[in-house]
Amino acid sequence: MTPRRQLLLVSLLTLVVFLPGLASYTLWDPWETHYGEVARRMLQDHDYVRLNHTEMEPFRSKPVLTFWLMAAGMKALGVADDGGFSGEMVSTPRVEWAMRVPFALAGCAGIVILWIALARFFSRRVAWIAAAVLATTPYYFFITRQAITDMPSCTLLVASVALFAFALFDDRPLASRRHAVAIAATLAVVVGAQLAYFLYMAGGGNFALGKRHHLPGWIPLAAFIPGLAAALWWTRGIRTTQKVYLWWFYILNGVAVLAKGPVAPAMAGLTALGYLAVTGEWRRLRELEIPRGVLLTILVGMPWHFAIYVLDGAPWLEEYVGVHLLGRTFLGTYGDRGTFAYYFRELGYGMWPWVCLLPGALAACMAAGPTRTREDKLRALFFIWAATGFAFFAFVKTKFHHYLLPTVPAFATVLALWLDDMWAGRRRAAAAVAVALPLLAVTAVDLVGRQEELVHLFCFKYDRPWPYAEPWHVDLSGWIAGAAVAFGAALLCLAWRRRAGIVALSAMGLLFAVWGMDLYLLRASPHWGMRALLERYYRERKILGVDLRYDGPGPLEDDWARGGELEVRSMIPETLRAGDPMRITWRLGEARGELAGKVASIDAPGRRFRIAAAPDDALRAVVDKNAGKRGGTRRLAVNAERLVAWQLRWRGENFYSGGEI
C-alpha cells in the first residue's frame, strides 16, 4: 500500500474509533460543563473576548481557544443560539456532539501527525505501532472523548516537536513561493482577524499602567499591527524547507498559548534545549531564529491577553497570572500536591496496560550509546520529550492527574521504537516479557479494586465516590480483569512469536480502548453528569408564563403593535396544555407591566408554543410613544416552577439549564 493510502487509512481509522458515540453519554461535571457554560455565555452575550460563568462571576483560569472551539461547535450544529432557548441544552444530543467534536478531532489529528513524522523519519511500521499504542492508552482515548482544554494543547505540542525535528533534518531549497504565501496568508487571517475584532470590542477601554496611569485600549492592540507587517515582510525571506518548518513551529506555539497558556510552548522549548544539550549541537541554536520566533508566537497568542486585560483589568491579571499561572506552578493552587513520585502512579493508570512494557523501553533508551546517526538523534529527541515533560510536571507544585497527557505521545513513541526493534529481531522479547507480566498483574489488581482511577485521569473531584453501592452497583471489574488476562496472553505470544505478539498487543489495546469509550464512560457518566436530572425537570415542570426584557423599542413594537400571539421557544413539559393561563411581564427602561394570557397552541416536536394575549392600556401607551422607532433587542425568559441548586458549583446545572438556575 502506498504511503498516501496508508495515511488516509490511519486518518479514517482514528475517526472511526474516536467519533462514534460522542453524544451517547452526558457531559461530565466538572470540566466539560464547567467550560461549556463559559462557551454558552459567549453565544448568549455575543462577546468572544470576555469569559464568564454568570452575570456576576467571570471565569479567569484559562485562555480563550477552548471556548472558541466549543462555541464554534455549537454554532455549526445549530444549538445554543443566543445562549439557547428554555430546555434546549437537554432537548437534543447535538449539544454533546457540538461540544466534543472539536476535541475529538484534535485527538485524531495528534495521532495522524505523529504517524506522519515517524513514517518519514523511521518507517511506516514504527508509525503504525506508535499510533496503536497512543490511541489505546487511557490518558489519550479518554481525554479525546472529553471537551476540555488538554487535547488541543497536546496535539499542538505533537505538531511542534514534529516540526522541530523536520527543521533539524530537512533543509532544502524551496522550488516555489507557495509555502511562504501560505504562511503569510495564515498570519494575515489569524492575527488580522483577532486585531480587528479586539479593537472593535476593547479599543474604547483603558489599558492600565498602574493605579493612576492608563492608555486608551486601542493603543496596545494597535501596537501589534507593525509587528504583523514586519512578519509579513519577513516571509519574503523564506527560501528553505527548514525556514518553513520553523515558522509553523512558532505559529503553532502561539496557538498553543491560546489553548492552555504557556504549557505546550514551555515543553517544546525544553525538549529543543534538551536535545541540543544531549547531542552537543549548540551551534544549531542560531538556526532556530529564536528572537523572530518569539515575535511570531506573541503575534498569534497575545492579542487576546491584551484585549481581556483592557476589558477586565487588574482582577483578570491577578487571577489568571498570579493564581493560575504562577500560583499553580510555584506555590500550589487547587488540585493535589506531591513529589516527583506523584506521576509514576498516574502513568501506571494512564498508560495501562502498555505501562508494563514501558520500563524496558525506557531502560533501552538510557542504555543507548552516543547519538551519531540521524536515527540515534531522533530516538534521543523523543526520550528527551518524555523525560523533560515528566520532570516539568513533577516540578509544578499543583498536580492534577491529567496534567501528564502531553508526555504520553513521547512515551508511546519510545515504546513503539522498542517494539519495532523486537519486530526486526534487534532485541529479544523474553526478558521484557518476564518483567512485564508481574507488572501487569500488580497494576491490574490495583485497577480492578479501584475502578474510579480511570475517571480521575480526566475528571477533577477525586473524592467523588464510584457508584459501588446499591441501588446503582456499577461494577466493571470483570471487564478490567479480562482485559488484563487477554493482554497477558498477548505478552506470552510476544515472547515466542515477536511479530504476532505485537499485533496481538495492539488488538487487545484497541479492544480495551473501545470498551473504555463505549461501555465504561456510558456506565459511569450518569453519576458525574447533570443531564438526566435537568431533562426530568424540563419534562415535569409547570410553566407559569414568560418575562420579557426589552433594551430598545423595535422588538417591543414588533411584538405588540398589532396584538396577536407571542411565540415561545421551550422544551414542552408533560404538564402544558392548550388554554393554560400564562402571566406575561414586560419591561422597557422604567416602563413595566403585566399581562394575562393563555396557551393558544403547542408545537411539541418543534419545541415551541404560542401565548395569546392582548396589550392593556399601559402597554399600548408605551407602544404608541415609541411608534416607528427601531433598534434594540429582546430577552425572553420562561417563568416556570423553579429549580434551585445549592452549592453544586461545577456548572452542570448552569449549562444544562441554559443559565436558568
Side-chain angles (χ1 to χ4, degrees):
M1 187 181 295
T2 64
R4 184 170 295 182
R5 289 184 177 179
Q6 289 195 38
L7 175 59
L8 177 61
L9 179 60
V10 73
S11 302
L12 291 175
L13 286 175
T14 56
L15 294 173
V16 168
V17 170
F18 289 123
L19 289 187
L22 281 177
S24 60
Y25 53 97
T26 180
L27 295 174
W28 281 55
D29 188 13
W31 290 147
E32 288 194 283
T33 50
H34 194 65
Y35 298 143
E37 177 60 7
V38 178
R40 191 198 65 80
R41 283 296 306 272
M42 273 187 168
L43 298 176
Q44 177 178 304
D45 300 337
H46 302 281
D47 184 342
Y48 299 93
V49 182
R50 297 177 181 90
L51 306 179
N52 293 301
H53 271 142
T54 66
E55 297 289 345
M56 302 299 293
E57 187 178 3
F59 175 87
R60 298 181 176 126
S61 69
K62 295 291 186 294
V64 74
L65 182 63
T66 293
F67 313 104
W68 284 346
L69 291 174
M70 291 177 173
M74 288 189 277
K75 272 288 189 183
L77 292 186
V79 297
D81 191 34
D82 295 325
F85 60 80
S86 184
E88 181 182 13
M89 308 311 281
V90 296
S91 69
T92 170
R94 285 183 297 153
V95 170
E96 287 78 14
W97 272 107
M99 289 282 287
R100 288 183 175 133
V101 162
F103 303 89
L105 291 177
C108 294
I111 294 171
V112 172
I113 292 167
L114 186 66
W115 189 95
I116 293 171
L118 296 179
R120 181 167 174 179
F121 284 130
F122 295 100
S123 69
R124 279 171 274 166
R125 187 175 66 219
V126 171
W128 278 107
I129 297 172
V133 174
L134 181 59
T136 58
T137 57
Y139 258 139
Y140 202 87
F141 67 70
F142 278 133
I143 295 178
T144 294
R145 304 273 284 195
Q146 293 281 303
I148 59 178
T149 60
D150 299 83
M151 189 50 69
S153 178
C154 179
T155 296
L156 289 165
L157 177 60
V158 173
S160 294
V161 175
L163 287 165
F164 176 72
F166 288 147
L168 289 174
F169 299 106
D170 185 359
D171 189 10
R172 294 170 288 117
L174 291 174
S176 70
R177 292 272 303 153
R178 60 189 178 90
H179 292 289
V181 171
I183 290 171
T186 300
L187 284 172
V189 171
V190 172
V191 180
Q194 286 191 74
L195 292 178
Y197 181 71
F198 296 154
L199 281 166
Y200 168 74
M201 292 295 295
N206 292 319
F207 186 87
L209 299 175
K211 293 184 178 180
R212 298 183 180 180
H213 304 284
H214 66 269
L215 293 172
W218 66 268
I219 292 180
L221 291 170
F224 284 93
I225 296 175
L228 175 59
L232 294 176
W233 176 261
W234 288 336
T235 59
R236 298 171 70 250
I238 300 176
R239 302 184 186 280
T240 65
T241 54
Q242 183 186 64
K243 300 288 187 185
V244 171
Y245 298 134
L246 287 174
W247 277 69
W248 285 118
F249 172 84
Y250 289 115
I251 289 170
L252 290 186
N253 274 287
V255 178
V257 170
L258 291 172
K260 203 180 178 186
V263 174
M267 287 189 61
L270 289 172
T271 300
L273 292 175
Y275 172 84
L276 297 177
V278 169
T279 60
E281 297 181 351
W282 289 108
R283 59 180 176 77
R284 305 198 67 174
L285 195 61
R286 184 177 298 179
E287 298 176 15
L288 301 183
E289 296 187 336
I290 293 175
R292 183 180 296 180
V294 170
L295 175 62
L296 288 173
T297 300
I298 290 173
L299 276 175
V300 175
M302 292 307 292
W304 173 82
H305 292 77
F306 280 77
I308 192 66
Y309 179 64
V310 169
L311 293 173
D312 207 358
W316 172 82
L317 191 66
E318 292 167 3
E319 188 170 342
Y320 177 74
V321 177
V323 175
H324 292 286
L325 293 185
L326 300 178
R328 290 194 188 203
T329 302
F330 298 108
L331 300 176
T333 306
Y334 310 115
D336 292 342
R337 307 293 180 269
T339 66
F340 71 93
Y342 180 92
Y343 286 113
F344 284 115
R345 176 178 180 272
E346 302 316 319
L347 196 64
Y349 296 125
M351 289 197 69
W352 195 86
W354 293 102
V355 70
C356 65
L357 289 164
L358 194 56
L362 294 173
C365 281
M366 290 185 284
T371 54
R372 294 189 176 91
T373 66
R374 188 186 78 163
E375 181 172 325
D376 292 339
K377 294 175 180 180
L378 285 165
R379 285 174 179 260
L381 176 65
F382 286 100
F383 177 76
I384 291 164
W385 174 8
T388 56
F390 191 94
F392 175 82
F393 291 113
F395 169 80
V396 171
K397 289 292 184 181
T398 299
K399 289 179 171 60
F400 287 112
H401 297 189
H402 64 282
Y403 272 5
L404 204 59
L405 173 69
T407 67
V408 172
F411 282 117
T413 302
V414 169
L415 182 53
L417 290 168
W418 187 64
L419 289 172
D420 184 70
D421 287 341
M422 290 187 193
W423 183 290
R426 293 187 292 268
R427 294 189 184 276
R428 294 186 178 183
V433 171
V435 174
L437 280 173
L439 184 55
L440 175 67
V442 169
T443 53
V445 168
D446 197 27
L447 194 54
V448 163
R450 294 181 55 82
Q451 299 165 51
E452 63 271 24
E453 293 297 343
L454 294 177
V455 169
H456 296 166
L457 294 174
F458 58 89
C459 187
F460 171 61
K461 198 65 179 166
Y462 306 137
D463 58 351
R464 186 174 293 181
W466 178 267
Y468 288 110
E470 296 290 353
W472 311 285
H473 190 56
V474 176
D475 184 4
L476 303 174
S477 58
W479 290 92
I480 298 172
V485 171
F487 202 82
L491 283 174
L492 292 174
C493 181
L494 179 67
W496 280 274
R497 294 287 187 270
R498 298 185 307 273
R499 297 179 181 182
I502 292 171
V503 172
L505 290 171
S506 300
M508 292 304 103
L510 179 60
L511 290 174
F512 178 66
V514 171
W515 169 83
M517 291 184 287
D518 295 333
L519 180 62
Y520 182 92
L521 284 178
L522 267 65
R523 293 287 301 277
S525 64
H527 303 276
W528 273 267
M530 297 290 290
R531 180 182 176 116
L533 295 176
L534 270 296
E535 190 174 5
R536 180 173 179 179
Y537 163 69
Y538 282 105
R539 188 171 63 247
E540 298 182 0
R541 69 176 179 167
K542 182 175 178 59
I543 295 178
L544 307 175
V546 295
D547 300 319
L548 299 170
R549 298 294 180 265
Y550 301 96
D551 67 359
L556 181 136
E557 184 176 12
D558 293 340
D559 283 343
W560 302 108
R562 292 176 296 277
E565 296 179 348
L566 187 70
E567 182 179 276
V568 181
R569 294 298 310 277
S570 173
M571 186 174 174
I572 305 301
E574 298 168 350
T575 58
L576 191 67
R577 300 287 186 273
D580 284 352
M582 291 282 122
R583 183 174 71 248
I584 303 169
T585 66
W586 60 270
R587 179 175 178 176
L588 173 64
E590 297 300 319
R592 66 187 67 192
E594 183 176 309
L595 304 174
K598 63 180 180 179
V599 176
S601 61
I602 300 173
D603 176 14
R607 298 181 174 89
R608 69 188 76 224
F609 65 95
R610 301 184 73 86
I611 299 175
D616 59 10
D617 293 340
L619 180 55
R620 287 196 186 94
V622 175
V623 172
D624 293 341
K625 180 180 178 181
N626 291 280
K629 297 179 181 179
R630 306 307 300 166
T633 60
R634 181 192 75 172
R635 179 70 60 83
L636 183 152
V638 172
N639 182 358
E641 292 178 323
R642 307 309 296 167
L643 177 63
V644 179
W646 178 252
Q647 292 184 339
L648 296 184
R649 192 172 179 263
W650 292 112
R651 311 300 171 191
E653 66 278 10
N654 298 106
F655 178 81
Y656 274 124
S657 74
E660 289 188 325
I661 291 184

